Amino acid sequence: MAKLDKQVWPALGAALLSAIAFLWASPFLWTLVASFRPDGAGSADMASLLPDLHPTLENFRTALESGSFGIYYINTLIVVAGVLAVQCVTVSLAGYAFARLRFPGRDLLFYAFLLQLMLVPPALIVPNLRTVVDLGLYDTLPGVMAPYFASAFGTFLMRQTFLALPRDFEEAAAIDGAPWWAIIWYVLLPMARPGLIAFAIVSVTTHWNEFLWPLMVITSPANQTLTIGLAAFTMGAESGKEWGVLAAGTLLVMAPLAVAFIAFQRRFVDSFVFSGVKG
Amino acid sequence: MDLPMSVASTSSVDLALGHRAAHKPRRLRLFAYGLLAPSILFLALFTYLPVVRVAIESLYDTPHGTGAAPSFVGLGNYAKVLADPAFRQAAFNNLVYAVGVLVPTLVLALAFALAVQRSTRFATVLRTVFFFPSLVPLVAAASLFFFIFLPGVGLLDYYLGKIGIHGPNWLGDSDIALWSVIGLTVWKNAGYYMLFYIAGLQNVPRDAVEAAMIDGANAWQRLRFVLLPALAPTTAFVTVIALIQLLTSVDHVIVLTRGGPSNATNLLLYYIFQSAHENFDYGKAAAATLISVAILLAISFGSLRVMERGARGDG
């Protein structure tokens, strides 16, 4: 009986888990299957999760032709890279100041930074849009990026990373007469790479996926990002009943991050845990 | 959010600059502020000033497109917003949505974490499967669920039909639509919060669990009396970030339902978006923004206490 217990319960548990995992993965399984399904399969069985015997790339071609995905990819890349590049500078400098320097008002300023974790940019789309218009950045990619140039989360993460580093190296460099920027660039940042990479992964994921703010800022088709293109595309699919094309379009938007995730799984998971636990 | 502010820091640069500028502490101070300046500039532009700006502008009526000067209306916009049935509906929906997502998400996140915490190959695959939805854009998830919820031929109805169940109109029925949106959000978020529980479980002292086992506590008792109390700080933390998230992301509502049918899936941020972006009622959007800012701050400041207590272990 005890032996039976030891074998039966884990097996039942594993079966239940597998069933739940299958349920969880089914939207993605459907996307994969439907995007390669030929148009002639008929819409009655469109929802079937069984792969079609004659896969086709037709849906991807239609998707790529009906939306300007090339432009969307480029715009999204520009936004993601631009935000990250500026953030790396701002969060490294601020993280360093909070970790290593003593100055009046430091604690107060630190709490002021953390306020951004609560007043997240989406909550302030209405006044921020006015500010972007005032700055002449309406309908431009810099307008999409600007609210994210400062990052409380990144500052906090870099501060924690710097605090965990030994001071010996910077002290040696300082005694050798290295200027402050050389100490940060050549001594601290190479050691802080795990922190920076974790931050980069979270930042890239966030801005690759972002929708509401670019939707507010961008009006001309030439400046649209992937998520906006996909949303327009989804509304279009509604009338055309082109579910295979919709699946293909969705896959095109998700693919880059999904591939990166599968390639660097551990890193992704660690970064997101790091981001939550520390920030 | 642990905030260890007591870390002493006499730094290398303090020392280095100290040699050169021992008599110039002012220079050191300016140096620190200089490093913070770029961040503070952007925080001021897009986090601090917007709150002030929206507070002031919520007191004015700004006619759209006529070029007329804004006129001072005092609390008129607030009165208008609070009297608007759509706003009340959105606030109530957001409450249902927040609780309706939060509870199952927390339960599933913990259950998933318990199931996949060991580092077997099977557990690693499961972890990937559960986490993956939180990596895709909410818009993409909405696009997928658009088809999943499709009446008759959609994924859900297709397979429910196979077992003889005739599903409701998932997004078209005003009694069901909000729960469909909740289902999507639970699916999307549970795997993300699972990660925090996995991390939290690693910090639960082994001794406590083993002692409970020796005392003959069964699995449920170990969960109830050992794991849950030990995980309280994780739960508090996840609750707060989840609540902030549930108040500030409506991408799926924009794509799937546009707040409908008849405001059944209207949420606070969608109401704000709609007032500003579609109805061009700026004063109303400003007033609603300030109300939502107040809610966010209340959650955050209320929770700082909760989490400090949780961290000390007496709460």
Side-chain angles (χ1 to χ4, degrees):
Chain A
M1 193 63 196
K3 198 182 164 200
L4 197 72
D5 264 12
K6 264 195 187 138
Q7 285 178 340
V8 169
W9 286 116
L12 273 180
L16 181 69
L17 263 176
S18 306
I20 295 173
F22 179 77
L23 195 69
W24 231 246
S26 57
F28 297 120
L29 293 178
W30 175 78
T31 317
L32 270 177
V33 170
S35 58
F36 289 103
R37 181 174 285 152
D39 204 22
S43 73
D45 280 329
M46 199 55 221
S48 169
L49 288 171
L50 297 174
D52 194 87
L53 291 175
H54 306 284
T56 167
L57 290 174
E58 192 60 30
N59 292 323
F60 289 95
R61 224 186 62 194
T62 315
L64 285 171
E65 277 168 5
S66 57
S68 324
F69 274 91
I71 293 173
Y72 303 155
Y73 272 117
I74 292 170
N75 287 337
T76 299
L77 276 174
I78 292 173
V79 168
V80 164
V83 167
L84 184 63
V86 177
Q87 279 180 336
C88 279
V89 175
T90 58
V91 305
S92 298
L93 295 182
Y96 175 78
F98 282 125
R100 289 295 202 249
L101 303 178
R102 258 184 209 273
F103 51 91
R106 188 180 68 172
D107 293 6
L108 197 70
L109 271 171
F110 191 66
Y111 278 107
F113 268 61
L114 291 184
L115 211 56
Q116 197 204 27
L117 295 177
M118 305 151 194
L119 296 178
V120 289
L124 296 170
I125 45 172
V126 169
N128 280 349
L129 190 67
R130 302 272 275 207
T131 305
V132 161
V133 171
D134 292 348
L135 294 173
L137 296 175
Y138 185 66
D139 195 22
T140 67
L141 294 179
V144 176
M145 303 181 218
Y148 300 97
F149 283 160
S151 165
F153 156 61
T155 303
F156 188 65
L157 203 136
M158 289 314 287
R159 169 181 173 271
Q160 297 300 94
T161 308
F162 287 141
L163 280 176
L165 295 177
R167 288 155 187 270
D168 311 3
F169 298 101
E170 354 167 359
E171 274 161 19
I175 288 165
D176 286 348
W180 63 270
W181 54 267
I183 295 178
I184 296 183
W185 184 255
Y186 292 111
V187 182
L188 279 172
L189 281 185
M191 291 196 288
R193 255 184 64 185
L196 264 184
I197 290 176
F199 173 64
I201 288 178
V202 175
S203 168
V204 166
T205 308
T206 309
H207 297 293
W208 187 277
N209 293 345
E210 176 155 42
F211 173 64
L212 181 61
W213 175 243
L215 179 69
M216 302 273 294
V217 176
I218 297 300
T219 53
S220 41
N223 289 334
Q224 288 184 347
T225 56
L226 273 174
T227 47
I228 300 181
L230 179 64
F233 201 71
T234 307
M235 318 263 191
E238 186 177 4
S239 50
K241 296 204 167 49
E242 293 177 321
W243 308 117
V245 180
L246 173 64
T250 311
L251 205 62
L252 285 173
V253 173
M254 299 189 300
L257 275 187
V259 169
F261 171 65
I262 288 161
F264 304 104
Q265 225 185 101
R266 261 240 83 79
R267 233 176 201 159
F268 263 81
V269 168
D270 289 349
S271 302
F272 278 92
V273 172
F274 196 53
S275 71
V277 174
K278 309 259 167 155
Chain B
M1 287 182 237
D2 57 321
L3 309 168
M5 292 304 302
S6 56
V7 189
S9 69
T10 317
S11 84
S12 56
V13 172
D14 280 21
L15 293 174
L17 289 178
H19 287 302
R20 285 173 236 162
H23 54 290
K24 285 186 194 161
R26 230 183 107 216
R27 210 182 122 187
L28 197 65
R29 240 181 303 164
L30 286 179
F31 174 57
Y33 296 138
L35 292 179
L36 295 175
S39 292
I40 292 177
L41 169 70
F42 289 111
L43 284 174
L45 268 177
F46 293 103
T47 303
Y48 309 142
L49 292 179
V51 177
V52 178
R53 177 172 197 166
V54 84
I56 294 171
E57 290 178 341
S58 69
L59 303 176
Y60 287 84
D61 186 22
T62 315
H64 176 72
T66 60
S71 54
F72 185 79
V73 292
L75 295 176
N77 285 318
Y78 292 92
K80 223 163 67 179
V81 165
L82 292 173
D84 185 353
F87 177 81
R88 294 183 186 196
Q89 177 86 44
F92 178 72
N93 286 344
N94 220 144
L95 186 69
V96 174
Y97 173 74
V99 177
V101 172
L102 190 63
V103 174
T105 308
L106 286 178
V107 172
L108 281 172
L110 177 60
F112 289 169
L114 287 168
V116 304
Q117 57 173 325
R118 276 166 303 171
S119 53
T120 61
R121 184 158 276 266
F122 181 53
T124 313
V125 172
L126 288 179
R127 209 180 303 178
T128 308
V129 169
F130 293 141
F131 175 66
F132 198 75
S134 51
L135 206 66
V136 307
L138 189 50
V139 173
S143 293
L144 295 184
F145 274 73
F146 187 79
F147 180 77
I148 291 173
F149 287 139
L150 205 66
V153 295
L155 190 64
L156 200 53
D157 277 0
Y158 182 78
Y159 280 98
L160 283 179
K162 296 225 157 179
I163 53 173
I165 298 175
H166 185 72
N169 189 341
W170 299 104
L171 294 172
D173 183 333
S174 55
D175 292 331
I176 308 280
L178 185 60
W179 294 97
S180 301
V181 175
I182 287 174
L184 185 168
T185 314
V186 170
W187 172 80
K188 179 97 172 60
N189 293 354
Y192 179 48
Y193 304 131
M194 168 193 77
L195 295 183
F196 302 124
Y197 276 116
I198 293 175
L201 281 170
Q202 280 163 0
N203 295 330
V204 175
R206 271 206 111 85
D207 306 359
V209 182
E210 278 162 13
M213 284 178 95
I214 292 167
D215 288 347
N218 62 29
W220 167 249
Q221 289 166 326
R222 290 202 298 276
L223 178 66
R224 171 75 185 77
F225 297 107
V226 182
L227 290 182
L228 281 184
L231 290 171
T234 308
T235 305
F237 172 76
V238 170
T239 303
V240 174
I241 58 170
L243 284 177
I244 292 176
Q245 200 265 343
L246 293 171
L247 275 163
T248 57
S249 74
V250 292
D251 302 1
H252 48 343
V253 172
I254 294 175
V255 173
L256 279 180
T257 63
R258 321 206 110 246
S262 51
N263 282 323
T265 58
N266 201 345
L267 301 177
L268 279 180
L269 185 57
Y270 185 77
Y271 177 87
I272 292 170
F273 167 78
Q274 214 179 15
S275 306
H277 203 68
E278 285 169 9
N279 304 337
F280 302 107
D281 192 337
Y282 188 77
K284 222 158 124 179
T289 296
L290 207 70
I291 293 173
S292 112
V293 162
I295 297 173
L296 284 173
L297 288 179
I299 292 173
S300 306
F301 287 121
S303 61
L304 275 180
R305 286 249 175 84
V306 172
M307 282 196 279
E308 273 167 10
R309 260 208 312 267
R312 283 205 308 270
D314 57 38

